[in-house]
């Protein structure tokens, strides 16, 4: 799992050149199995695991790691994505964190910008509960996060996001769907309790300004990624952005996978059933441009970090991306 070593040093770094790293890896015979085009037959049967088993694997993962021992705020994201801080006063930015885990990404954002309201989803109820505990336990004094942090369960790769979150006429849709309307008990039709959320808030969010995908897209099987990104497009307001950080090709964690963990080209499955894909810039670019986004930033972030205890130098490769939904003309 993602290990935030040298957290401050992770900011959009270029400690080494990615092309040189690639050449080195590809000329090393012990890594050859990573770039053979198809995984060995014994493991390839796992490549088409069902959405249910993927969700189950993450759920079990979060149950096993419920102590929150690995929780670390990703403060460096505020430097990587300064737009999260630069909102005009009272702009009431809306942000959707997809695959929020225990809240490592959303906590520093909530702390740093009191004008942001965060909607956070995950395919594990266990981790959503834990995130709520951590976020409410981290609020100090008057800076309560309760009204700015809303969680909901969702597997965005198969079911997409709920209608109440979407940009566009979700109000019309709700009014037409009587079964849905009967679930609400609002006084003025605006402030209602959404049946899928535990907290009260405006039932129709009407789209978000930012979607953060922080080490979540890599957990989705490659064949479900195009639909997943289209879902992010749908939920954004025009001019809104996806902020992406994820595993890059030939990251140290990829090179450590044993041959039997390969389930597809650049795709791996851990012993616990959770998956990880390792991206090139080309794959990321194709996925986002095909969904209708404009590319604002896309690069490898290459960081050398030293494990002092083992005296080993580790080469981390991440992809950093910023993609925009075109504004209405
Ligand atoms: C590596 S963790 C990243 C957590 C968080 N974004 C962060 O910055 O620490 C990936 C998270 O994505 C969630 N996840 C995996 N597949 C998902 C899916 N299809 N829909 C929603 N969440 C998913 C997992 O449960 C897990 O919490």
């Amino acid at each position: 799992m993602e290990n935030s070593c040298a957290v401050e040093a992770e900011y959009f770094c270029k400690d080494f050149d990615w092309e040189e790293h690639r050449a080195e890896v590809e000329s090393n015979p012990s890594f050859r199995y990573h770039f053979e085009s198809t995984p060995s037959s014994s493991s390839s049967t796992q490549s088409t695991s069902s959405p249910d088993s993927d969700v189950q694997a993450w759920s079990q993962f979060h149950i096993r790691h419920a102590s929150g021992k690995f929780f670390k705020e990703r403060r460096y994201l505020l430097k990587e994505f300064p737009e999260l801080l630069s909102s005009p006063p009272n702009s009431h930015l809306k942000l959707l964190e997809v695959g929020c885990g225990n809240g490592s990404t959303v906590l520093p954002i909530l702390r740093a910008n009191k004008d942001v309201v965060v909607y956070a989803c995950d395919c594990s109820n266990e981790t959503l509960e834990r995130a709520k505990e951590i976020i409410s336990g981290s609020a100090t004094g008057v800076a309560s996060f309760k009204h700015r942090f809303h969680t909901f369960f969702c597997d965005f790769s198969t079911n997409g996001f709920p209608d109440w979150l979407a940009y566009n006429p979700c109000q019309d849709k709700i009014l037409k769907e009587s079964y849905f309307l009967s679930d609400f008990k609002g006084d003025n039709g605006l402030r209602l309790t959404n049946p899928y959320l535990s907290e009260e808030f405006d039932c129709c969010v009407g789209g978000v300004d930012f979607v953060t995908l922080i080490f979540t897209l890599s957990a989705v099987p490659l064949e479900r990624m195009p639909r997943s990104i289209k879902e992010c497009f749908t939920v954004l307001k025009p001019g809104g952005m996806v902020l992406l950080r994820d595993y890059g090709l030939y990251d140290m964690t990829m090179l450590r996978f044993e041959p039997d963990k390969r389930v597809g080209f650049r795709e791996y499955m851990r012993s616990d059933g959770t998956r990880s894909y390792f991206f090139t810039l080309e794959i990321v670019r194709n996925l986002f441009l095909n969904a209708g986004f404009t590319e604002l930033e896309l690069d490898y972030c290459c960081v050398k970090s030293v494990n002092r205890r083992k005296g080993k130098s580790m080469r981390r490769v991440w992809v950093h991306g910023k993609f925009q939904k075109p504004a209405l003309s």
Side-chain angles (χ1 to χ4, degrees):
M1 210 47 45
E2 177 53 20
N3 167 6
S4 316
C5 317
V7 170
E8 290 304 325
E10 285 173 2
Y11 166 58
F12 216 174
C13 259
K14 285 254 176 289
D15 284 351
F16 56 91
D17 179 77
W18 186 78
E19 286 296 344
E20 281 174 23
H21 177 57
R22 173 188 192 142
E24 228 173 85
V25 169
E26 291 184 359
S27 61
N28 185 337
S30 62
F31 292 141
R32 186 162 301 141
Y33 63 90
H34 290 291
F35 28 90
E36 282 164 358
S37 57
T38 46
S40 62
S41 55
S42 61
S43 55
S44 60
T45 48
Q46 298 176 332
S47 66
T48 51
S49 64
S50 73
D52 281 354
S53 60
D54 295 332
V55 165
Q56 190 60 22
W58 277 107
S59 203
Q60 291 303 318
F61 170 87
H62 290 298
I63 290 168
R64 272 195 310 280
H65 296 95
S67 73
K69 209 167 66 185
F70 299 114
F71 183 82
K72 214 162 211 167
E73 288 185 47
R74 296 189 193 278
R75 290 197 196 95
Y76 60 88
L77 292 175
L78 299 172
K79 293 184 185 167
E80 297 265 5
F81 301 115
E83 43 282 274
L84 291 172
L85 293 173
S86 61
S87 56
N90 300 319
S91 51
H92 304 301
L93 287 181
K94 291 169 181 171
L95 179 145
L96 169 65
E97 155 74 339
V98 183
C100 64
N102 286 354
S104 325
T105 289
V106 296
L107 185 52
I109 298 173
L110 283 165
R111 275 194 217 284
N113 189 341
K114 65 177 177 14
D115 280 319
V116 173
V117 174
V118 172
Y119 300 91
C121 72
D122 204 284
C123 64
S124 152
N125 277 318
E126 291 74 18
T127 201
L128 290 172
E129 283 308 310
R130 187 78 191 114
K132 278 196 276 188
E133 282 167 28
I134 289 177
I135 302 285
S136 60
S138 306
T140 48
V142 288
S144 166
F145 300 137
K146 190 167 180 278
H147 300 294
R148 298 197 288 124
F149 182 64
H150 307 286
T151 58
F152 63 100
F153 177 90
C154 170
D155 171 0
F156 82 121
S157 74
T158 49
N159 305 323
F161 299 114
D163 285 345
W164 52 261
L165 193 60
Y167 168 70
N168 241 354
C170 92
Q171 196 69 44
D172 287 352
K173 195 160 196 303
I174 286 171
L175 290 173
K176 278 181 204 139
E177 292 178 12
S178 55
Y179 76 93
F180 203 51
L181 194 62
S182 68
D183 286 334
F184 293 101
K185 297 207 179 2
D187 47 8
N188 57 8
L190 286 175
R191 195 126 185 105
L192 300 164
T193 304
N194 188 302
Y196 300 102
L197 287 164
S198 48
E199 306 90 353
E200 190 188 82
F201 76 110
D202 297 339
C203 78
C204 243
V205 174
V208 296
D209 302 279
F210 296 105
V211 168
T212 47
L213 276 175
I214 311 296
F215 298 103
T216 294
L217 193 59
S218 54
V220 168
L222 184 62
E223 76 270 10
R224 297 212 294 273
M225 287 188 198
R227 169 170 184 192
S228 308
I229 293 169
K230 197 73 202 171
E231 287 296 332
C232 297
F233 187 90
T234 308
V235 88
L236 276 168
K237 295 176 190 170
M241 288 180 212
V242 171
L243 310 177
L244 170 83
R245 191 176 176 95
D246 218 320
Y247 296 108
L249 187 66
Y250 303 142
D251 177 46
M252 166 203 89
T253 58
M254 168 178 171
L255 300 174
R256 280 185 181 170
F257 274 111
E258 300 288 335
D260 65 335
K261 297 290 182 282
R262 281 189 83 213
V263 292
F265 191 49
R266 300 172 182 160
E267 239 180 333
Y268 300 80
M269 190 181 279
R270 302 179 185 90
S271 311
D272 63 8
T274 61
R275 295 164 162 272
S276 198
Y277 181 83
F278 293 84
F279 294 97
T280 59
L281 301 188
E282 292 70 25
I283 290 283
V284 176
R285 182 171 289 126
N286 284 339
L287 284 167
F288 280 87
L289 299 195
N290 285 337
F293 284 97
T294 306
E295 179 181 320
L296 300 182
E297 289 176 12
L298 181 60
D299 211 343
Y300 290 109
C301 175
C302 299
V303 176
K304 235 186 228 172
S305 66
V306 179
N307 181 327
R308 290 201 189 87
R309 204 163 43 86
K310 292 186 181 157
K312 275 197 174 159
S313 167
M314 299 179 289
R315 289 185 168 211
R316 302 309 313 264
V317 181
W318 295 290
V319 286
H320 162 100
K322 211 182 274 183
F323 294 90
Q324 189 165 38
K325 177 170 177 168
L328 293 175
S329 50

